[in-house]
Amino acid sequence: MKLRFFLDTANLEEIRSAISMGVISGVTTNPTLVAREGVRDFHSHVKKIAQMVDGPVSAEVISLEAEGMVAEARELAALRENVVIKIPMTQEGMRAVKVLSSEGIRTNVTLVFSPQQALLAAAAGASYVSPFVGRLDDIGEDGIGLVRDVAEVFSIHNIETEIIAASLRHSKHVFDSAVAGAHIATVPYKVLADLFKHPLTDQGIQRFLKDWQELSKDNG
């Protein structure tokens, strides 16, 4: 299975731009990202995103109790069939995942910081788990190592839950996540744009243009 790219944003213009590049297959978002866009109606905005994107759109609940999470999840899942529900890695969250899984509602367990948490999420029926790479690096731990450990243990036990490498801060994080065995890398728009860049690519384009200009003069 090839590595897939999701865009971590709530900005509609960023999503349109990324779709036009032909490289993203889903979106992850949350109330914080939506609030940054000055949007008041979270559900309406999630629906707009889900209509734009063919693949999964992860939208996060805000309740901390399982009953509230389930109620929110049902409302979000009803917006469009490609909406996936982001659930926090807590005991209440796993209770909600178990219920939602039994109802055929896909879930993405977020804020995963250990292989044990990832295993619990998979056991509860999560469709995806999101280990947070950058946040672990911030406290001196090995974020990519977490992705690698989760991928290894999932492979050993033939666990079908997919791994979304999240909290990716730069292009090296993306490469390392791919090597570590992540199924998906979810990235901010800036990181996605940076993946296209390399100084030798820029130099090569400039050289081609210069050579073309010289050739045009000779033929003129």
Side-chain angles (χ1 to χ4, degrees), residues 87-90 94 97 107-132 136 143 145-155 157-165 183:
I87 302 286
M89 168 36 72
T90 63
M94 295 313 94
V97 168
T107 55
N108 171 8
V109 174
T110 188
L111 295 172
V112 170
F113 293 100
S114 73
Q116 296 91 323
Q117 289 180 325
L119 284 167
L120 289 172
S127 308
Y128 307 92
V129 293
S130 291
F132 275 42
L136 277 175
L146 171 60
V147 175
R148 185 181 304 110
D149 289 344
V150 174
E152 182 177 358
V153 75
F154 277 18
S155 177
H157 295 283
N158 295 314
I159 293 172
E160 295 183 358
T161 301
E162 292 192 273
I163 302 165
I164 303 177
H183 302 99

Side-chain angles (χ1 to χ4, degrees), residues 65-67 69-70 73-74 85-109 119-128 161:
E65 304 294 332
E67 185 176 348
M69 292 182 196
V70 170
R74 288 169 178 158
I85 312 304
K86 286 176 76 173
I87 302 286
M89 168 36 72
T90 63
Q91 291 183 20
E92 289 295 300
M94 295 313 94
R95 291 187 177 100
V97 168
K98 190 66 175 178
V99 172
L100 296 171
S101 176
S102 70
E103 296 179 4
I105 296 175
R106 291 180 296 169
T107 55
N108 171 8
V109 174
L119 284 167
L120 289 172
S127 308
Y128 307 92
T161 301

